[in-house]
């Protein structure tokens, strides 16, 4: 009790919070960011830093045994037991992190990081005596494109009680790559490893290679695995089902893709055609990440879609490794419709070539595939998910692959995951239980009603954060 009271007094004495300047004023000024812009950016960076597990964590320095000849899917370094002091991971669960070799869109070897969230006790599949821990490969949604945007260094692992915590609490080991460029951000020679945002076949490589590396590092993991992802990760998991058709990984049991952002360039085009359509406006805010992603995969494109202002602001974000929260503050004074990209930048032939290469749908895939969508998703319009699903199911090569589309009435981007929680959790268990999907059930589409929808809290972004108490406000956890 005494220590709680002391902490309260200390808290009162120290409660005025100052944001320490982080952005170098000269650098900012030379990058079209005035004092107001700098203060906003500092606020964003300070908030993000407060949500990271560890500052300047040496874990993300590229392992010395990475070479350009490293085999994809091999382990580079292992942190067998992560110190959870600075994470809000539920008790009972434990964590590991590792570095491994993955490949970019062209198949070139690059290093990346991942975490494993371990259950206290494993789920035991029906009809199985296996003591191995069943594995779910989790593809995260967008964190940003900066060096500090690795979910494995977020105190709540980004999706917290929305996905990884409940999976591990249900007995699954969650193997979750930080996509290449997020976390392990530089080669040993100092060259930046760019993140190719929504380059979904690249992120599918990260999933496949993380599964292979995790299995070699941790023999307690099952060979079998289910792939699951949301948003950028929904596109990554969809791309994984397509990758499985040409580069299969053994033990694959199926894929869940939620709110898949699989045709982002088409969405930007549609937004410019109908700039007042509120269901499309999110597209304006991610033009910067798209222009940078095309450059990551096609370096000769060299950011040429950016306006001068757009490029300079992007350079600030990358210099400081900022993520989505900082990005929205850094661009707060910028008209996203007119000031980020040059008019018609998305019609450039390199951009269109890239778009065709990364788009989901209309390619052979291996099921079973469960596609989940929210009827009122403001980040990924339902029509785009349906169009990709229809294009996949119309493909003769997919005729015998189980594909299910489940649409949730009235739900936005993040609520769709919670609304469908029971559905995807049961689906994962059914795959490990060896439940067979009969040929009569191939290619189904269902609409799920929400009888109490009117009272639901909606959000295009994750609608709450799990925060660690600071050393002086541990007393708050007695509530
Ligand atoms: C910075 O620029 C914005 C417009 O982009 C303007 O509203 C603001 O007043 C400027 N702040 C300073 C301190 O000059
Ligand atoms: C936890 O964070 C504190 C500062 O916020 C840092 O000093 C400490 O090293 C971190 N611990 C671990 C295990 O990362
Ligand atoms: C890199 O070194 C780690 C030990 O630090 C080892 O486990 C791993 O197999 C090595 N990987 C390669 C590709 O040499
Ligand atoms: C975890 O890190 C904290 C410092 O942040 C340290 O006090 C503690 O001893 C570490 N725990 C283990 C098990 O190493
Ligand atoms: C599990 O073990 C029991 C007892 O050893 C055995 O009867 C049963 O066939 C095994 N089941 C499977 C699926 O291997
Ligand atoms: C740095 O290393 C990477 C990976 O080995 C290589 O692709 C790149 O060309 C190197 N950059 C320079 C400037 O040497
Ligand atoms: C990938 O390959 C294309 C040619 O297909 C090339 O234009 C591009 O520069 C390559 N990207 C990288 C990152 O090397
Ligand atoms: C990209 O364009 C900038 C000018 O905006 C130029 O300085 C740089 O050399 C170009 N880089 C490449 C790889 O073409
Ligand atoms: C997808 O196919 C269904 C069933 O044929 C149809 O009702 C729906 O309009 C299609 N959606 C799109 C976006 O093509
Ligand atoms: C689907 O399976 C049936 C029965 O096994 C087979 O006859 C048919 O050729 C298959 N179709 C495709 C497109 O693979």
């Amino acid at each position: 009790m005494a220590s709680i009271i002391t902490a309260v007094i200390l808290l009162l004495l120290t409660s005025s919070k100052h944001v320490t300047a982080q952005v170098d004023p000269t650098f900012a000024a030379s990058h079209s960011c005035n004092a107001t812009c700098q203060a906003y950016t500092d606020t964003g960076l300070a908030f993000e830093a407060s949500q990271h597990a560890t500052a300047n964590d040496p874990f993300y320095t590229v392992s010395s045994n990475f070479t350009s000849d490293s085999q994809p899917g091999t382990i580079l370094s292992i942190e067998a037991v992560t110190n959870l002091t600075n994470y809000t991971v539920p008790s009972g669960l434990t964590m590991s992190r590792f570095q491994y070799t993955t490949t970019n869109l062209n198949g070139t070897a690059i290093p990346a990081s991942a975490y494993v969230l371990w259950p206290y006790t494993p789920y035991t599949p029906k009809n199985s005596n296996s003591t191995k821990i069943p594995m779910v490969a989790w593809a995260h949604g967008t964190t940003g494109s900066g060096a500090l945007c690795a979910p494995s260094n977020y105190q709540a692992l980004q999706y917290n009680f929305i996905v990884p915590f409940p999976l591990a609490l249900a007995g699954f080991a969650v193997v979750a790559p930080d996509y290449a460029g997020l976390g392990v951000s530089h080669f040993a020679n100092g060259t930046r490893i760019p993140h190719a945002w929504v380059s979904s076949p690249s992120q599918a490589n990260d999933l496949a290679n993380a599964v292979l590396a995790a299995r070699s590092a941790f023999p307690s993991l099952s060979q079998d695995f289910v792939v699951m992802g949301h948003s950028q990760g929904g596109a990554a998991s969809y791309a994984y089902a397509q990758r499985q058709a040409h580069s299969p990984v053994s033990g694959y049991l199926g894929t869940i893709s939620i709110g898949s952002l699989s045709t982002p360039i088409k969405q930007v085009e549609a937004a410019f055609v109908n700039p007042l359509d509120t269901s499309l406006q999110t597209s304006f805010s991610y033009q910067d990440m798209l222009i940078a992603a095309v450059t990551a995969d096609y370096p000769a494109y060299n950011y040429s879609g950016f306006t001068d202002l757009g490029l300079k602001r992007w350079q600030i974000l990358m210099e400081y490794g900022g993520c989505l929260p900082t990005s929205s503050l850094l661009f707060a004074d910028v008209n996203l419709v007119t000031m980020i990209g040059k008019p018609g930048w998305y019609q450039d032939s390199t951009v269109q070539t890239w778009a065709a290469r990364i788009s989901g749908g209309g390619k052979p895939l291996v099921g079973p595939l469960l596609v989940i969508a929210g009827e009122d998703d403001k980040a990924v319009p339902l029509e785009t998910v349906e169009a990709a699903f229809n294009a996949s199911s119309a493909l003769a090569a997919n005729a015998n692959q189980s594909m299910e589309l489940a649409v949730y009435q009235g739900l936005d981007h993040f609520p769709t995951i919670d609304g469908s929680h029971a559905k995807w959790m049961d689906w994962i268990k059914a795959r490990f239980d060896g439940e067979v999907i009969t040929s009569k059930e191939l290619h189904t589409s269902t609409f799920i009603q929400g009888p109490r929808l009117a009272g639901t809290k909606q959000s295009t972004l994750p609608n709450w954060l799990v925060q660690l108490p600071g050393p002086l406000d541990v007393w708050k956890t007695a509530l």
Side-chain angles (χ1 to χ4, degrees):
M1 181 57 106
S3 66
I4 292 173
I5 292 166
T6 311
V8 172
I9 293 165
L10 281 171
L11 180 81
L12 294 174
L13 291 173
T14 59
S15 63
S16 69
K17 288 213 166 83
H18 297 282
V19 175
T20 322
Q22 299 180 58
V23 178
D24 175 63
T26 313
F27 179 81
S30 68
H31 286 75
S32 304
C33 181
N34 70 12
T36 309
C37 165
Q38 284 171 51
Y40 270 51
T41 309
D42 286 342
T43 301
L45 291 171
F47 172 70
E48 287 181 12
S50 77
Q51 300 300 307
H52 291 152
T54 310
N56 307 316
D57 191 338
F59 170 77
Y60 296 100
T61 303
V62 62
S63 177
S64 58
N65 62 5
F66 170 79
T67 69
S68 51
D69 298 329
S70 295
Q71 280 303 304
T74 52
I75 278 287
L76 297 169
S77 68
I78 303 172
E79 177 183 79
V81 181
T82 302
N83 184 324
L84 290 177
T85 302
N86 292 344
Y87 289 88
T88 61
V89 166
S91 6
L93 307 185
T94 50
M95 211 174 121
S96 304
R97 293 186 296 182
F98 62 89
Q99 256 186 51
Y100 68 106
T101 306
T102 185
T103 54
N104 68 11
L105 189 62
N106 285 0
T108 306
I110 42 177
S113 52
Y115 72 79
V116 185
L117 188 64
W118 298 99
Y120 186 74
T121 55
Y123 175 75
T124 311
K126 284 187 191 118
N127 312 314
S128 162
N129 291 338
S130 171
T131 54
K132 302 275 186 175
I133 308 174
M135 175 183 3
V136 176
W138 163 242
H140 67 83
T142 302
T143 48
S145 297
L148 302 178
C149 308
S152 68
N153 194 32
Y154 281 30
Q155 290 173 355
L157 302 178
Q158 191 201 18
Y159 275 71
N160 52 64
F161 279 101
I162 306 174
V163 177
F165 297 174
L167 279 176
L169 291 167
F172 299 99
V174 182
V175 173
D178 301 316
Y179 304 135
L182 312 175
V184 183
S185 56
H186 293 82
F187 292 112
N189 61 15
T191 299
R192 173 89 166 95
I193 303 166
H195 173 56
W197 184 66
V198 295
S199 175
S200 51
S202 309
Q203 279 100 63
N205 292 342
D206 299 345
L207 284 162
N209 291 315
V211 164
L212 293 169
R215 286 200 303 218
S216 73
F218 304 106
S220 58
L221 283 172
S222 65
Q223 287 294 301
D224 294 348
F225 64 99
V226 166
V227 176
M228 172 177 180
H230 173 247
S231 197
Q232 174 182 7
S237 59
Y238 204 110
Y240 184 87
Q242 295 175 163
R243 186 188 194 277
Q244 188 70 14
H246 59 78
S247 307
V249 175
S250 66
Y252 172 71
L253 295 177
T255 294
I256 299 171
S257 167
I258 308 179
S260 168
L261 181 51
S262 54
T263 49
I265 296 291
K266 272 194 191 154
Q267 252 175 264
V268 169
E269 287 177 298
F272 276 101
V273 171
N274 297 301
L276 299 180
D277 182 339
T278 51
S279 74
L280 296 170
Q281 285 176 355
T282 320
S283 314
F284 293 123
S285 68
Y286 57 61
Q287 296 175 84
D288 56 342
M289 289 193 289
L290 280 176
I291 292 169
V294 177
T295 305
D297 285 336
Y298 288 86
Y301 174 69
N302 198 14
Y303 304 101
S304 55
F306 270 126
T307 61
D308 182 57
L309 176 73
L311 178 59
K312 284 179 166 161
R313 291 287 177 92
W314 178 257
Q315 286 166 342
I316 296 172
L317 192 62
M318 290 304 102
E319 177 70 16
Y320 291 93
C323 308
L324 284 186
T326 299
S327 171
S328 55
L329 295 181
L330 173 64
F331 288 101
D333 64 341
V334 174
N335 181 328
L336 300 178
V337 182
T338 58
M339 291 162 77
I340 299 285
K342 290 176 187 159
W345 67 268
Y346 40 86
Q347 284 153 354
D348 175 274
S349 64
T350 303
V351 175
Q352 289 293 329
T353 302
W354 180 81
R357 241 176 127 185
I358 64 102
S359 71
K363 294 168 187 169
L365 59 78
V366 180
L369 171 68
L370 169 61
V371 175
I372 293 174
E375 185 192 28
D376 199 19
D377 191 321
K378 300 275 197 309
V380 178
L382 172 60
E383 303 76 57
T384 67
V385 178
E386 266 188 4
F389 183 87
N390 287 359
S392 294
S393 52
L395 206 64
N398 294 337
N400 289 338
Q401 301 302 319
S402 158
M403 295 178 56
E404 177 180 357
L405 173 66
V407 177
Y408 284 74
Q409 181 189 19
L411 292 183
D412 199 348
H413 196 50
F414 271 85
T416 299
I417 317 174
D418 288 330
S420 61
H421 180 112
K423 168 92 177 172
W424 51 257
M425 188 64 91
D426 285 353
W427 196 92
I428 291 169
K429 290 176 180 171
R431 300 290 76 72
F432 282 100
D433 290 349
E435 215 172 87
V436 176
I437 299 173
T438 68
S439 56
K440 281 185 197 149
E441 295 168 322
L442 297 174
H443 300 214
T444 60
S445 190
T446 51
F447 186 78
I448 293 89
Q449 308 272 348
R452 293 180 56 82
L453 177 66
T456 296
K457 194 165 159 183
Q458 293 278 8
S459 171
T460 307
L461 301 171
N463 64 1
W464 47 274
L465 294 165
V466 180
Q467 294 191 326
L468 272 180
L472 301 177
D473 46 23
V474 170
W475 55 273
K476 290 180 182 170
T477 64
L479 185 73

